[in-house]
Amino acid sequence: MSSTAAELVRLLTVRGQTLAVAESLTGGLVAAEITGVPGASKTFRGSVTAYATDLKHRLLGVDATLLAQRGAVDPQVAAQMAAGVRKALGADWGLATTGVAGPEPQDGRPVGTVFVAVDGPFGADSGSAAGGKVAALRLNGDRAEIRRESVRSVLALLLKELASEQTGNERTQDTEQNGGF
């Protein structure tokens, strides 16, 4: 369990919000990281590991034409996966990972090409375009390292979003609930 996952669970619990995850290259590692946190059941709705490209369309609602034209390793696919899992599992926030962990390139993309996405109830001043936020990563290392860094990156993306949306009142409430001043 990472400190980032623990902080996400804490923030989501304080806000009374829920999370769902759609994973491809990480194969369930994001969900495992989150559920490793005691109390995650208060906020974690579930996950879909859509490793096969057709499942991204059938289970998560990713546009079939997009998948046919660009393949599964694409920023728009990541954004649609995050939005799709959020809708499918009835969560406030959706996370997604898609990419190439190796050892071979996929969909014309080199090993280490990864897209992580978050979709959620963005505030009016968040600067988010419709479809959530996507981070493009170019990772080095072996298959395990690429997958681990993908998990770290998608959790950090959501943590950044939650921290930027936290109002002064929420920070005060959170501090009081955790014994602060």
Side-chain angles (χ1 to χ4, degrees):
M1 165 187 69
S2 71
S3 60
T4 302
E7 181 65 4
L8 284 176
V9 168
R10 186 188 69 74
L11 282 173
L12 288 167
T13 301
V14 165
R15 291 169 158 226
Q17 293 180 325
T18 56
L19 173 64
V21 176
E23 298 186 67
S24 187
L25 86 148
T26 50
L29 293 174
V30 176
E33 193 71 18
I34 293 164
T35 59
V37 177
S41 61
K42 294 175 186 165
T43 192
F44 189 65
R45 297 275 303 151
S47 64
V48 173
T49 301
Y51 211 64
T53 299
D54 66 302
L55 293 180
K56 291 172 181 64
H57 170 68
R58 287 194 299 134
L59 298 177
L60 300 171
V62 176
D63 182 81
T65 303
L66 174 66
L67 288 166
Q69 290 176 349
R70 296 195 192 164
V73 183
D74 183 82
Q76 283 185 276
V77 170
Q80 289 184 18
M81 286 173 65
V85 79
R86 179 180 174 219
K87 180 180 177 185
L89 301 186
D92 297 302
W93 294 92
L95 291 180
T97 63
T98 188
V100 186
E104 301 296 324
Q106 178 186 337
D107 297 333
R109 302 280 193 164
V111 172
T113 302
V114 175
F115 299 98
V116 296
V118 60
D119 189 79
F122 297 105
D125 61 346
S126 72
S128 173
K133 294 187 177 184
V134 179
L137 310 173
R138 183 66 183 103
L139 304 175
N140 295 311
D142 64 20
R143 182 176 173 80
E145 291 168 323
I146 290 168
R147 293 174 77 213
R148 274 194 307 272
E149 184 58 23
S150 298
V151 171
R152 190 204 65 71
S153 296
V154 77
L155 294 177
L157 184 64
L158 178 56
L159 184 59
K160 180 180 176 187
E161 195 56 44
L162 289 172
S164 71
E165 289 200 350
Q166 196 173 24
T167 66
N169 187 41
E170 285 174 320
R171 280 194 283 279
T172 301
Q173 177 187 9
D174 180 46
T175 301
E176 290 170 358
Q177 286 179 356
N178 288 292
F181 296 92

